[in-house]
Amino acid sequence: MNTPAKLGSYVLGLAVVFGGALGAGKVVGPVGTPPAEDHAAMTAPTASASAGHGEHATEQVKDDTPGGLQVSESGYTLHPLTATIKPDEPTDFRFSVTGPDGEPVTDYQVEHDKKLHFIVVSRDLSTFLHLHPTEAGDGVWSVKLTLPGAGAYRAFADFAPTGGKALTLGTDLLVAGDFEPKALPQASRTASVDGYEVTLDGELTPGQSSRLTLKVSKDGEPVTDLQPYLGAYGHLVALRARDLAYLHVHPDGEPGDGETDPGPEIVFYAEAPSTGDYRLFLDFQHKGEVRTADFTLGAGERPAIPTSTPTPTSTGHADDGHSH
């Protein structure tokens, strides 16, 4: 599982190979449009009727499919236009989104202060980037992207076309070179970043909206002068560890509404679609700088570890009850 592997070339659309994020392998393939078999074909048919920042509806599936598992949804398709990304080198990464008519989308609604949010994470969830591309013209988006090393990454485009519902489309980016996936960090209620401490209170309950409260402090004192970031005092991205499903997360209140305090607490409501491990990334702004605190949180009860010993005739394997 931890044996280094060599990626033969940069490819797109091979997420299933790296779905566990802890296994390594040699991957080769053509660069360009992802193959027809994307995550939609690898997941049970589900959907979302909600239209917000995160989990969204599809026409082909039921009402609870998390966002980001498909490169195409409701006639919209994410198209990476940059063929090569080298590790640790800044790249002008370009992409477009085509609509049901096959033409690049040029008209977007502003959601959370931006027309489009671009999230990139490594498959082992050790790297998280929240970027804001610029419009290069003719429906093409451009963003300066630096990936810290070789390996498999997932890119999410989160947007709402004018007159349409909000969508999150995802595609895979593979960066050539030797790599060794990292284990998922242990579950923790406290995160430290640049001298700040963030604590997490609340539980993820599968199939229900869950209240999550994050409290920011510095040098042991609560931070009560957080600055607005993306229309709130914090922005939370939650991803399911097994397949990087993009969860539906809502901030509670907004700056200037007369009710929401600028810290130390930031409240969100998240909908976990299943049991398992999730990674949470909180962006918050203080004194003009955005910082990211990250957590691992389990949703629901894990399956019990088997206590019986398999008989000599058993052909199965004991399940450790953990999925990362």
Side-chain angles (χ1 to χ4, degrees):
M1 183 182 304
N2 292 323
T3 303
K6 183 78 172 178
L7 290 176
S9 63
Y10 166 78
V11 296
L12 300 176
L14 297 177
V16 176
V17 177
F18 293 91
L22 296 178
K26 177 177 284 189
V27 182
V28 294
V31 173
T33 303
E37 287 189 356
D38 203 281
H39 290 275
M42 305 300 176
T43 56
T46 54
S48 171
S50 61
H53 194 57
E55 184 181 55
H56 310 296
T58 68
E59 294 177 345
Q60 299 88 358
V61 290
K62 291 187 195 173
D63 281 351
D64 57 359
T65 294
L69 295 179
Q70 303 177 99
V71 71
S72 296
E73 184 177 330
S74 301
Y76 293 87
T77 302
L78 175 61
H79 295 277
L81 303 176
T82 300
T84 303
I85 301 177
K86 295 181 179 180
D88 301 309
E89 291 188 13
T91 300
D92 180 17
F93 186 80
R94 296 188 169 222
F95 63 94
S96 66
V97 176
T98 55
D101 59 359
E103 296 297 320
V105 178
T106 58
D107 199 0
Y108 293 83
Q109 302 176 48
V110 174
E111 296 276 331
H112 296 271
D113 290 347
K114 300 290 181 180
K115 291 183 178 181
L116 186 145
H117 298 260
F118 194 64
I119 308 293
V120 180
V121 297
S122 57
R123 275 271 158 192
D124 62 9
L125 289 170
S126 63
T127 296
F128 172 85
L129 301 172
H130 187 166
L131 307 172
H132 297 106
T134 58
E135 294 176 274
D138 299 323
V140 174
W141 292 89
S142 175
V143 64
K144 191 66 68 177
L145 178 62
T146 303
L147 298 180
Y153 296 81
R154 185 73 172 167
F156 302 94
D158 196 341
F159 64 93
T162 297
K165 61 188 177 183
L167 299 169
T168 302
L169 304 180
T171 191
D172 286 286
L173 313 176
L174 300 187
V175 181
D178 294 330
F179 79 104
E180 186 174 353
K182 299 178 182 178
L184 193 73
Q186 293 294 317
S188 175
R189 294 284 177 166
T190 304
S192 298
V193 53
D194 296 340
Y196 292 83
E197 184 176 82
V198 183
T199 57
L200 170 63
D201 183 44
E203 303 291 342
L204 285 174
T205 303
Q208 297 182 19
S209 179
S210 303
R211 179 187 172 101
L212 300 174
T213 302
L214 295 109
K215 186 174 182 179
V216 183
S217 63
K218 190 176 192 309
D219 300 326
E221 297 296 328
V223 175
T224 59
D225 56 346
L226 292 171
Q227 296 166 310
Y229 178 64
L230 301 177
Y233 288 119
H235 186 274
L236 185 67
V237 170
L239 299 163
R240 186 165 59 190
R242 288 176 294 178
D243 57 2
L244 305 192
Y246 195 99
L247 271 64
H248 188 188
V249 180
H250 288 301
D252 185 35
E254 60 184 33
D257 63 5
E259 299 179 357
T260 305
D261 294 327
E265 295 184 347
I266 316 170
V267 177
F268 297 91
Y269 289 88
E271 299 176 13
S274 68
T275 59
D277 290 320
Y278 292 79
R279 287 284 283 160
L280 280 61
F281 299 91
L282 171 70
D283 292 330
F284 65 94
Q285 184 168 243
H286 188 236
K287 295 185 177 180
E289 184 174 346
V290 177
R291 296 169 175 85
T292 302
D294 60 275
F295 304 84
T296 301
L297 186 62
E301 295 183 0
R302 296 173 179 271
I305 298 176
T307 56
S308 60
T309 302
T311 64
T313 57
S314 174
T315 58
H317 299 280
D319 186 354
D320 66 4
H322 290 70
S323 177
H324 296 303

